[in-house]
Amino acid sequence: NAGVMQNPRHLVRRRGQEARLRCSPMKGHSHVYWYRQLPEEGLKFMVYLQKENIIDESGMPKERFSAEFPKEGPSILRIQQVVRGDSAAYFCASSPETSGGSGEQFFGPGTRLTVL
Amino acid sequence: DAKTTQPTSMDCAEGRAANLPCNHSTISGNEYVYWYRQIHSQGPQYIIHGLKNNETNEMASLIITEDRKSSTLILPHATLRDTAVYYCIVGKGDTGRRALTFGSGTRLQVQP
């Protein structure tokens, strides 16, 4: 069973360009979470999605950032008109549909975004 | 979610037990204690969680005080690969369905 997959692993963009980060959850998982880690800082929650629905976007910047998790395909975190302050590691995590269990979230390897 | 307090850093000799403390004095009755770790820029990894009773799995043991205001994560025989930042997180059950609130964590350095 493959783990959470993220691509690309490294992404370089110039200021003003768009960045699209992809996350494929573990098989059977329908809950996806995005976290951001700025250099030398801890992880900060951004958004929590289920298939076709945004459940909690309280950590998402109000402008330029959007996320989706379509019925088919990976979850996408989209950053429009990137600025240097967007340079960070972006981690995706997934969890299964059923409640209970260990409450564990399974994390991907992350996408390192560098804005020049 | 309750706030947690952890030491900034700790050292441990390879092969010895690593004991990582966490204070969560404002924890409420239905909140769990979760531990994750992040090994050098990799994605965080779940270690263990508990509510009231002490817990043990193949990775670690979790000791929760009777008043639940603090806990200790124990790595019984630390190896160099256990060098990482360890995060103690308190939240309501089923954090598999909710956002995790990461603090600053404890940077554990296992020394050869």
Side-chain angles (χ1 to χ4, degrees):
Chain A
N1 188 10
V4 177
M5 299 176 68
Q6 292 187 248
N7 67 81
R9 295 291 305 276
H10 299 273
L11 181 62
V12 178
R13 285 289 178 266
R14 296 190 180 278
R15 281 180 298 169
Q17 292 184 320
E18 178 180 286
R20 292 171 70 89
L21 288 63
R22 295 174 184 77
C23 169
S24 296
M26 288 183 67
K27 186 177 181 180
H29 287 191
S30 59
H31 298 253
V32 165
Y33 312 79
W34 286 93
Y35 295 83
R36 178 168 66 173
Q37 187 169 33
L38 296 170
E40 304 302 321
E41 294 189 14
L43 290 97
K44 302 295 183 186
F45 165 75
M46 299 181 74
V47 62
Y48 162 32
L49 310 99
Q50 289 181 336
K51 285 286 188 180
E52 300 184 278
N53 289 306
I54 296 175
I55 307 302
D56 180 359
E57 56 181 347
S58 59
M60 192 85 111
K62 293 291 184 278
E63 298 179 350
R64 301 188 297 108
F65 286 73
S66 62
E68 63 177 7
F69 188 17
K71 187 176 181 180
E72 300 292 338
S75 175
I76 305 289
L77 179 66
R78 181 183 179 200
I79 311 172
Q80 295 179 291
Q81 298 176 314
V82 296
V83 301
R84 288 207 175 116
D86 296 332
S87 295
Y90 292 82
F91 292 97
C92 168
S94 73
S95 66
E97 171 66 29
T98 56
S99 62
S102 68
E104 178 180 357
Q105 290 186 15
F106 298 80
F107 282 80
T111 293
R112 271 78 182 165
L113 172 66
T114 301
V115 179
L116 301 178
Chain B
D1 292 345
K3 181 179 177 180
T4 62
T5 304
Q6 299 177 252
T8 303
S9 64
M10 295 182 64
D11 286 346
C12 176
E14 189 177 18
R16 304 296 294 270
N19 297 284
L20 291 91
C22 179
N23 286 320
H24 31 79
S25 58
T26 59
I27 192 170
S28 61
N30 62 349
E31 288 184 313
Y32 288 71
V33 180
Y34 295 84
W35 284 84
Y36 280 74
R37 72 180 182 184
Q38 186 176 25
I39 298 173
H40 187 57
S41 301
Q42 296 179 20
Q45 177 189 23
Y46 165 85
I47 300 173
I48 198 167
H49 79 289
L51 182 63
K52 296 180 182 178
N53 300 321
N54 299 337
E55 302 289 343
T56 296
N57 63 21
E58 65 279 3
M59 289 183 67
S61 295
L62 174 60
I63 309 298
I64 303 174
T65 58
E66 191 169 344
D67 63 7
R68 304 208 325 119
K69 292 184 177 181
S70 66
S71 61
T72 301
L73 177 74
I74 301 173
L75 307 179
H77 305 287
T79 71
L80 297 178
R81 288 178 294 180
D82 292 321
T83 292
V85 178
Y86 288 77
Y87 297 98
C88 170
I89 298 169
V90 172
K92 291 183 172 55
D94 196 14
T95 63
R97 299 168 66 91
R98 296 179 71 244
L100 294 172
T101 302
F102 289 84
S104 302
T106 296
R107 187 173 297 275
L108 175 68
Q109 181 70 49
V110 180
Q111 306 284 357

